């Protein structure tokens, strides 16, 4: 996948219901063709679906995103959009209690989970189910012993 247009087409193929959400919110964005915008909007759409019905398309969507993240030829902007605008925004929605972490943590592939753990480390709080208590304690201990300069 090499373009913003291809990424939007992929999102619409993965979840045809996204078209209505996308149409409703497109005027909120100055840059109308951007993988960052599309991933951000898709994250909000997925959050609503996780809250409403557990998002039956979740395994498929997260599987495709994991494949993009693990493909060395994937477009760097699309990879960054999935990481920052999709995954991080999903984690951020948890603080507003839009849905439970248990609804999406099991859907994460290895690279997605590692990115979300990195986001947790950066933001200072563990996402429920993303870490064992021991993993989080070790992460916090490592951060305290190796402060960033």
């Amino acid at each position: 996948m090499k373009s913003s247009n291809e990424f939007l087409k992929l999102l619409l193929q993965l979840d045809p219901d996204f078209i209505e959400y996308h149409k409703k919110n497109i005027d909120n964005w100055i840059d109308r063709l951007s993988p960052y915008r599309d991933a951000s909007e898709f994250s909000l759409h997925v959050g609503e679906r996780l809250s409403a019905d557990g998002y039956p398309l979740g395994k498929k969507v997260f599987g495709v995103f994991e494949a993009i993240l693990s493909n060395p030829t994937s477009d760097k902007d699309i990879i960054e959009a999935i990481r920052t605008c999709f995954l991080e925004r999903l984690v951020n929605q948890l603080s507003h209690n839009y849905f439970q972490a248990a609804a999406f943590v099991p859907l994460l592939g290895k690279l997605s989970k590692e990115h979300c753990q990195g986001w947790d480390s950066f933001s200072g709080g563990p996402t429920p189910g993303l870490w064992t208590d021991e993993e989080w304690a070790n992460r916090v201990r490592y951060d305290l012993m190796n402060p960033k300069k």
Side-chain angles (χ1 to χ4, degrees), residues 49-50 52-61 107:
R49 298 305 306 268
L50 286 166
D53 63 9
Y55 199 50
L57 298 173
K59 282 185 182 183
K60 179 180 169 185
V61 168
L107 303 173

Side-chain angles (χ1 to χ4, degrees), residues 22-90:
H22 189 270
K23 283 181 189 176
K24 206 171 40 175
N25 293 291
I26 195 156
D27 289 334
N28 297 337
W29 293 86
I30 294 169
D31 183 0
R32 290 201 168 44
L33 189 59
S34 162
Y36 300 96
R37 187 264 341 256
D38 296 332
S40 183
E41 290 295 329
F42 194 65
S43 177
L44 292 174
H45 169 73
V46 169
E48 285 182 6
R49 298 305 306 268
L50 286 166
S51 175
D53 63 9
Y55 199 50
L57 298 173
K59 282 185 182 183
K60 179 180 169 185
V61 168
F62 283 84
V64 169
F65 283 2
E66 188 70 16
I68 292 169
L69 293 174
S70 64
N71 184 342
T73 64
S74 292
D75 181 87
K76 302 300 180 217
D77 283 329
I78 293 172
I79 288 173
E80 226 21 64
I82 290 170
R83 287 178 180 156
T84 61
C85 299
F86 181 74
L87 293 172
E88 289 175 17
R89 193 156 193 188
L90 274 178

Side-chain angles (χ1 to χ4, degrees), residues 96-109:
H96 300 287
N97 296 316
Y98 292 147
F99 55 89
Q100 298 297 309
F104 88 95
V105 167
L107 303 173
L108 297 173

